[in-house]
Amino acid sequence: MTYVVKPKFHHPELPKNELGYTHRDYEGSISTLCAGCGHDSISASIIEACFELSIAPHRVAKLSGIGCSSKTPTYFLGNSHGFNSVHGRMPSVLTGANLANRELIYLGVSGDGDSASIGFGQFAHVIRRGVNMVYIVENNGVYGLTKGQFSATADRGSKSKRGVVNSDNAIDLVAIALQVGATYVARSFSGDKHQLTPLIKGAIEHNGSAFIDVISPCVAFNNHDGSTKSFDYVREHNEAVNRLDFITGRAPITVDYAPGTVELVEQHDGTMLALRKLNAEYDVHDRLAATNFIQHHAANGQIVTGLLYVEPDSDDLHGHLNTVDAPLNTLAEKELCPGSTALDKINASLR
Ligand SMILES: Cc1ncc(C[n+]2csc(CCOP(=O)(O)OP(=O)(O)O)c2C)c(N)n1
Ligand code: SF4
Ligand SMILES: [Mg+2]
């Protein structure tokens, strides 16, 4: 893969976070994507989220599949662990890494082709299992890397750049994520970093499967009239139900809002999400109502964005399987090889 390393030099007065890192410490190589590609804006939001949360870069593992979207981890978090896997297979590699070392923050980055076509099965299973991760799909409705074929998220009736009408029904990854049990589900737009960055921060702090579908226009192949994933279409049809204004961590909430307009969601580890409601009726804890609301709006051509569902007391795969707390590579021979008496007991229990 080609990449251009960024110069190390930077202004000495760049703002630093609690760990003393600047934004530059969270950047990667210079992007080789098309100028204006939505995916680069998502990379910028990931950098901002990790900077603001003061995450030590070596605590993050970023994994991806194949596609322009899956190339992007080269362009952010250059000091983190990374693995560019096979097309559609990122979820199984992420699951294995997560089971081996639960102490890292797992960031899966994928495309609509990577996750809704070749990797659709893997997508459903990683979420169904509750793997503790942030799974981001950079959704442009096409296979950008292979020159703009419709992907499985392209809406029926939408048009390709050459005017061909898509006759297939679309897969909505948010609907699937809700159905198979994701405990944090959001949708956003690459052109709205004020909405997207806090959603990524909330997902990082969440314990369990967090999924974010980000509509990310492909300026080369899917940004024309007749596309439902273009910058203009998404701006005109965006129905934001709420705004995750700030993530407070464990600090007390000091900002004043009119009663009923903000919902504070306390997560398992005591961190707080502050959710400003734009639609007073929308209940972020009702999985079924969320599904109905989103599909009802989709039928009218609207794209519902915001934090769509969250389960504050969520658990993850390690909790479900009752695995050992320590990363596997730190276990000593005593834990790994408990001796013949223990083995005899296991064998006896299986007879
Ligand atoms: C096994 C396999 N099949 C097909 C391909 C060809 N291929 C490369 S990227 C891609 C689709 C990428 O689409 P998406 O995930 O939406 O990423 P985008 O480029 O749009 O960001 C395909 C079909 C491949 N690399 N490997
Ligand atoms: S082809 Fe599309 S998705 Fe790929 S880099 Fe260019 S604009 Fe982005
Ligand atoms: Mg795509």
Side-chain angles (χ1 to χ4, degrees):
M1 187 184 290
T2 55
Y3 63 91
V4 187
V5 180
K6 272 189 193 157
K8 290 252 182 282
F9 180 78
H10 63 75
H11 195 282
E13 308 270 289
L14 276 185
K16 292 185 175 158
N17 63 16
E18 280 168 23
L19 294 180
Y21 292 122
T22 68
H23 278 88
R24 295 302 299 271
D25 297 308
Y26 296 90
E27 291 176 356
S29 305
I30 291 173
S31 173
T32 58
L33 302 187
C34 307
C37 175
H39 299 351
D40 278 333
S41 309
I42 301 173
S43 298
S45 277
I46 292 171
I47 290 168
E48 186 61 32
C50 292
F51 171 81
E52 286 178 16
L53 288 177
S54 292
I55 289 171
H58 68 273
R59 285 195 52 232
V60 181
K62 41 179 190 162
L63 296 99
S64 61
I66 300 290
C68 298
S69 34
S70 293
K71 281 172 69 178
T72 63
T74 306
Y75 314 133
F76 59 79
L77 298 178
N79 297 313
S80 299
H81 306 278
F83 195 93
N84 193 200
S85 76
V86 189
H87 201 15
R89 269 56 179 174
M90 174 273 285
S92 53
V93 179
L94 190 153
T95 305
N98 183 300
L99 281 172
N101 184 354
R102 62 196 293 174
E103 286 188 350
L104 299 180
I105 294 165
Y106 288 92
L107 185 55
V109 177
S110 179
D112 40 312
D114 199 57
S115 284
S117 295
I118 193 168
F120 193 39
Q122 297 237 337
F123 170 79
H125 288 292
V126 78
I127 290 183
R128 173 176 90 78
R129 293 194 168 113
V131 177
N132 188 17
M133 62 176 178
V134 180
Y135 193 130
I136 296 178
V137 167
E138 308 192 342
N139 184 358
N140 52 20
V142 288
Y143 301 164
L145 190 72
T146 54
K147 304 244 174 283
Q149 302 86 347
F150 286 126
S151 79
T153 67
D155 289 308
R156 185 172 191 172
S158 62
K159 282 190 187 154
S160 75
K161 197 172 169 180
R162 288 169 183 260
V164 178
V165 177
N166 178 31
S167 55
D168 295 339
N169 290 315
I171 291 173
D172 182 352
L173 291 174
V174 157
I176 304 294
L178 283 168
Q179 207 243 306
V180 296
T183 46
Y184 182 106
V185 181
R187 174 141 47 210
S188 190
F189 172 41
S190 63
D192 187 351
K193 72 168 192 253
H194 297 298
Q195 183 190 50
L196 178 57
T197 306
L199 287 173
I200 296 173
K201 287 167 71 180
I204 291 174
E205 291 196 352
H206 182 74
N207 180 45
S209 297
F211 172 63
I212 310 179
D213 179 46
V214 189
I215 312 293
S216 175
C218 168
V219 291
F221 299 111
N222 205 11
N223 196 31
H224 46 265
D225 280 355
S227 160
T228 56
K229 302 278 190 289
S230 66
F231 279 108
D232 284 349
Y233 187 91
V234 181
R235 280 196 197 103
E236 282 159 24
H237 297 82
N238 190 340
E239 174 80 23
V241 286
N242 52 40
R243 287 260 167 189
L244 199 55
D245 271 351
F246 53 94
I247 313 273
T248 59
R250 286 172 194 79
I253 311 283
T254 51
V255 179
D256 246 2
Y257 281 98
T261 57
V262 163
E263 182 184 346
L264 298 176
V265 182
E266 183 170 357
Q267 304 212 93
H268 74 292
D269 61 352
T271 58
M272 302 287 271
L273 309 177
L275 204 60
R276 181 158 53 91
K277 293 186 176 193
L278 300 179
N279 179 329
E281 306 296 305
Y282 192 86
D283 181 357
V284 82
H285 305 297
D286 188 336
R287 196 181 279 277
L288 189 60
T291 307
N292 285 340
F293 187 93
I294 293 159
Q295 298 206 343
H296 176 77
H297 281 72
N300 296 326
Q302 280 160 313
I303 303 165
V304 177
T305 62
L307 181 58
L308 304 175
Y309 178 76
V310 64
E311 207 172 293
D313 300 323
S314 56
D315 201 357
D316 80 327
L317 182 61
H318 286 280
H320 304 160
L321 297 180
N322 193 22
T323 57
V324 63
D325 284 342
L328 300 189
N329 67 356
T330 64
L331 298 181
E333 194 184 338
K334 196 167 134 285
E335 288 104 23
L336 292 172
C337 187
S340 54
T341 318
L343 186 62
D344 288 345
K345 256 195 198 163
I346 293 170
N347 283 339
S349 75
L350 297 172
R351 280 190 193 110

